[in-house]
Amino acid sequence: MDKLTAMLTFVRVVETGSFTRAAEVLELPKARVSQRISDLERLLGFRLLHRTTRTLGLTEEGTAYYERCLDILSEIEELESSLKGNVANPQGKIRVEVLTSIARYLLAPRLAEFKEKFPQISLRFGCSDRISNLFEEGIDCAIRGGHLEDSSLIAKHIGNVHFGLYASPIYLQRTSPINSPEDLLAHQKISWFSSRNHRPLLWQLQSAQESLEVRGPYDWLFNDNEVSIAACLAGTGICPAAPFAVESLVHSGALCPVLPAWSFPPRELNIIYPSTKHLSARVRSFVDWAFNLLQSDPSLSLKPWELINPR
């Protein structure tokens, strides 16, 4: 049995939803298509499809195998295209993981531009801050914050994000004034923790002249900075956030910078991918596009005090 032919047949059956339509697409007898799938299942040792007289569905193993077949067939197609000198039109599927705030405010609004530039690339876009086992899950590249310690990954430094503190006018009106970091001790503090290591963000603040840590306890802890901003908008307390994530909220008056002369230490932002994996043309196209887009976006490097003193 030609395994690649069988894999292609399996993909066509899944895409068309029936043996009959797959046979029409492949210009083969239906019996030949059915036999190829049966031979493939016998070779693998598990069922790929649930078959009934009216429906056709993937088993759990079939779903996983289908995803890998797509990747393998796409790689082969891309290799053949590159050997023919057709690298200018990359095609196939890419799996990307991006920090939620970066995805929501900086990348998602511009994805239509990427699709226009690379119409034959299909993008699967996930949002999380995990790094462990990222690429064992078939993810091609990721955009992450913080210092990268895993030597098996390549990190391309995009820029630094300068978190500041923010609160709603509702909260500020009913509480005592905040004139120095020490005053924060008497206030409701919202923070967030990484789902990667479950550690809360430390309120290590710095100004032009000094640096100090505002210790907890934190009154509210979330595992998503977007949720902490939502709580902050409701008047729950003071929360840290990236300026680009709250820029429109500050300009509309929904949030106010707190101690804007103070900020958290710059947080690295990197686009990462495995050092052991050759970057295909389609993955390279996204890496280069995202890197250039983010590095040239002035919102990414905004400082907290620049929200009240626009450049």
Side-chain angles (χ1 to χ4, degrees), residues 26-93:
L26 295 170
E27 298 181 344
L28 293 171
K30 178 182 175 182
R32 177 78 60 83
V33 171
S34 180
Q35 187 61 51
R36 283 182 181 177
I37 301 303
S38 296
D39 290 344
L40 183 59
E41 289 178 324
R42 190 177 304 110
L43 178 67
L44 294 172
F46 53 78
R47 295 186 68 84
L48 296 169
L49 298 165
H50 293 299
R51 303 169 177 82
T52 69
T53 55
R54 293 187 177 182
T55 62
L56 193 67
L58 285 166
T59 64
E60 182 178 351
E61 294 82 2
T63 299
Y65 191 70
Y66 173 69
E67 293 290 336
R68 294 302 294 136
C69 283
L70 289 178
D71 291 337
I72 292 168
L73 293 172
S74 181
E75 291 285 352
I76 292 172
E77 186 176 5
E78 184 171 296
L79 173 61
E80 292 174 346
S81 295
S82 66
L83 292 175
K84 295 175 184 177
N86 194 29
V87 294
N89 298 300
Q91 55 187 292
K93 185 180 66 173

Side-chain angles (χ1 to χ4, degrees), residues 95 131 133-142 148 150-156 271-280 283-284 287:
R95 289 190 63 187
I131 287 182
N133 302 319
L134 194 65
F135 302 106
E136 292 180 11
E137 301 173 23
I139 295 169
D140 295 295
C141 66
L148 181 67
D150 190 341
S151 60
S152 68
L153 302 174
I154 291 177
K156 192 173 183 181
I271 186 163
I272 62 177
Y273 46 89
S275 60
T276 57
K277 183 175 181 179
H278 169 69
L279 278 189
S280 64
V283 177
R284 172 62 67 184
V287 168

Side-chain angles (χ1 to χ4, degrees), residues 191-243:
S191 198
W192 49 278
F193 61 91
S194 169
S195 58
R196 191 189 316 164
N197 55 30
H198 300 284
R199 296 174 184 170
L201 176 71
L202 293 178
W203 285 28
Q204 187 72 40
L205 300 177
Q206 60 184 31
S207 68
Q209 291 80 28
E210 56 185 316
S211 176
L212 59 87
E213 181 179 334
V214 179
R215 297 186 178 274
Y218 304 109
D219 300 280
W220 307 90
L221 278 174
F222 299 97
N223 69 345
D224 188 326
N225 189 225
E226 292 297 300
V227 179
S228 69
I229 292 175
C232 186
L233 281 166
T236 305
I238 300 168
C239 81

